[in-house]
Amino acid sequence: MTQTPIMPPYERLDQLLDSIDLDVGASEIHGVICGLLCTGHSDAHADWFEDLFANRSPDDLLVREARQLLGQLYQATQLQFSAEDLAFKPFLPGDDLALRQRARGLSEWCQGFLYGLGLAGIGEARLKGDAREAIGDITEFTKLDHETIEAGEETELAYVELEEFLRVATFLIREELSTTQEVTHGSE
């Protein structure tokens, strides 16, 4: 029986990050975590977390709660990545929020994902074929003009398709990077 990952409440994490004046939201942080996990550098998040909280008092209760929820988010995401049922999905605002807010979260997730790959030293040139094309698409999603999005059934369907694309693209990129690392380590 596989362990079910428990994601922290999206709204609470996003509120905490805002209340302690971090310039990053819940979706973007999850994108960074996913980017780092895709590269196989499972310990890279520790240094990034420390940098993220460098100017925050460890005695501040909100900072402590934010750190705890980020740890929970990281562990749940790591479990999702390793689950056989492909349970992973991007950590985005809930369907109860306006489409513009969800689209902004999706765009921020993409920014974070690219940043996470960059933190681990992975650039587009390191990827090939479909994975490279997926990175190009993710880069385009960072430019999404969420302010001009009009709500409607067609737009909702497009959003769901983008969310699913990100899920699949993340696995594709992760697979490409793990294959590249196996080849690199095998030739040493």
Side-chain angles (χ1 to χ4, degrees):
M1 179 177 209
T2 56
Q3 186 176 3
T4 304
I6 300 170
M7 300 297 269
Y10 181 91
E11 292 80 15
R12 179 64 186 153
L13 178 57
D14 208 44
Q15 288 170 348
L16 274 173
L17 297 173
D18 186 48
S19 69
I20 62 174
D21 293 324
L22 287 181
D23 292 332
V24 62
S27 292
E28 188 172 356
I29 279 193
H30 188 248
V32 174
I33 290 169
C34 292
L36 289 169
L37 287 172
C38 278
T39 67
H41 296 286
S42 59
D43 59 343
H45 76 287
D47 291 337
W48 177 65
F49 276 11
E50 289 307 313
D51 288 345
L52 194 61
F53 290 100
N55 298 323
R56 307 293 184 287
S57 170
D59 297 326
D60 184 320
L61 293 177
L62 294 176
V63 170
R64 278 198 227 164
E65 185 180 355
R67 289 179 73 100
Q68 186 269 326
L69 289 179
L70 285 177
Q72 182 180 343
L73 179 64
Y74 179 83
Q75 290 174 343
T77 304
Q78 196 171 36
L79 284 171
Q80 285 181 345
F81 267 50
S82 61
E84 292 177 12
D85 63 358
L86 304 176
F88 167 78
K89 62 185 254 183
F91 193 56
L92 299 170
D95 292 339
D96 56 327
L97 296 178
L99 184 59
R100 288 181 179 168
Q101 290 174 287
R102 289 181 283 142
R104 184 180 72 223
L106 186 136
S107 180
E108 290 172 354
W109 187 94
C110 293
Q111 290 170 8
F113 184 76
L114 295 172
Y115 183 76
L117 291 176
L119 276 177
I122 304 297
E124 187 177 340
R126 180 111 175 253
L127 299 168
K128 295 177 177 50
D130 290 340
R132 182 180 240 173
E133 188 176 322
I135 286 291
D137 291 338
I138 291 171
T139 301
E140 287 301 311
F141 297 159
T142 67
K143 301 172 190 172
L144 188 65
D145 184 4
H146 52 84
E147 293 298 323
T148 62
I149 292 176
E150 295 295 326
E153 188 175 331
E154 196 173 299
T155 313
E156 286 286 341
L157 289 173
Y159 176 83
V160 169
E161 287 177 13
L162 286 177
E163 191 175 345
E164 178 62 16
F165 171 84
L166 288 179
R167 191 182 80 73
V168 172
T170 302
F171 281 117
L172 178 71
I173 292 164
R174 182 172 180 249
E175 181 64 29
E176 171 73 25
L177 289 173
S178 69
T179 302
T180 303
Q181 288 175 352
E182 288 172 13
V183 169
T184 303
H185 293 309
S187 64
E188 293 179 333

PDB file of all heavy atoms in Angstrom, residues 17 84 126 147 181:
ATOM      1  N   LEU A  17       2.902  32.931   3.465  1.00  0.00           N
ATOM      2  CA  LEU A  17       4.019  33.467   2.691  1.00  0.00           C
ATOM      3  C   LEU A  17       3.856  34.968   2.486  1.00  0.00           C
ATOM      4  O   LEU A  17       4.819  35.724   2.568  1.00  0.00           O
ATOM      5  CB  LEU A  17       4.135  32.738   1.351  1.00  0.00           C
ATOM      6  CG  LEU A  17       4.442  31.249   1.450  1.00  0.00           C
ATOM      7  CD1 LEU A  17       4.354  30.588   0.077  1.00  0.00           C
ATOM      8  CD2 LEU A  17       5.807  31.009   2.077  1.00  0.00           C
ATOM      9  N   GLU A  84       3.673   5.111  -7.644  1.00  0.00           N
ATOM     10  CA  GLU A  84       3.435   4.368  -8.878  1.00  0.00           C
ATOM     11  C   GLU A  84       2.153   4.803  -9.580  1.00  0.00           C
ATOM     12  O   GLU A  84       1.996   4.591 -10.774  1.00  0.00           O
ATOM     13  CB  GLU A  84       3.388   2.870  -8.574  1.00  0.00           C
ATOM     14  CG  GLU A  84       4.724   2.321  -8.140  1.00  0.00           C
ATOM     15  CD  GLU A  84       4.659   0.851  -7.769  1.00  0.00           C
ATOM     16  OE1 GLU A  84       3.635   0.193  -8.060  1.00  0.00           O
ATOM     17  OE2 GLU A  84       5.631   0.365  -7.195  1.00  0.00           O
ATOM     18  N   ARG A 126      20.172  21.304 -22.093  1.00  0.00           N
ATOM     19  CA  ARG A 126      20.440  19.974 -21.533  1.00  0.00           C
ATOM     20  C   ARG A 126      19.358  18.961 -21.906  1.00  0.00           C
ATOM     21  O   ARG A 126      19.558  17.758 -21.774  1.00  0.00           O
ATOM     22  CB  ARG A 126      20.542  20.104 -20.015  1.00  0.00           C
ATOM     23  CG  ARG A 126      20.815  18.842 -19.293  1.00  0.00           C
ATOM     24  CD  ARG A 126      22.204  18.842 -18.696  1.00  0.00           C
ATOM     25  NE  ARG A 126      22.394  17.669 -17.908  1.00  0.00           N
ATOM     26  CZ  ARG A 126      22.431  17.619 -16.607  1.00  0.00           C
ATOM     27  NH1 ARG A 126      22.334  18.722 -15.903  1.00  0.00           N
ATOM     28  NH2 ARG A 126      22.589  16.485 -15.979  1.00  0.00           N
ATOM     29  N   GLU A 147      -4.638  38.747 -16.412  1.00  0.00           N
ATOM     30  CA  GLU A 147      -5.576  39.857 -16.186  1.00  0.00           C
ATOM     31  C   GLU A 147      -6.624  39.977 -17.291  1.00  0.00           C
ATOM     32  O   GLU A 147      -7.700  40.511 -17.072  1.00  0.00           O
ATOM     33  CB  GLU A 147      -4.815  41.178 -16.049  1.00  0.00           C
ATOM     34  CG  GLU A 147      -3.955  41.264 -14.798  1.00  0.00           C
ATOM     35  CD  GLU A 147      -4.759  41.173 -13.508  1.00  0.00           C
ATOM     36  OE1 GLU A 147      -5.885  41.714 -13.442  1.00  0.00           O
ATOM     37  OE2 GLU A 147      -4.253  40.561 -12.553  1.00  0.00           O
ATOM     38  N   GLN A 181      21.208  11.690 -16.578  1.00  0.00           N
ATOM     39  CA  GLN A 181      22.104  11.458 -15.453  1.00  0.00           C
ATOM     40  C   GLN A 181      22.632  10.034 -15.442  1.00  0.00           C
ATOM     41  O   GLN A 181      23.797   9.811 -15.132  1.00  0.00           O
ATOM     42  CB  GLN A 181      21.391  11.768 -14.138  1.00  0.00           C
ATOM     43  CG  GLN A 181      21.181  13.238 -13.924  1.00  0.00           C
ATOM     44  CD  GLN A 181      20.366  13.535 -12.691  1.00  0.00           C
ATOM     45  OE1 GLN A 181      19.827  12.650 -12.049  1.00  0.00           O
ATOM     46  NE2 GLN A 181      20.255  14.811 -12.377  1.00  0.00           N
TER      47      GLN A 181
END
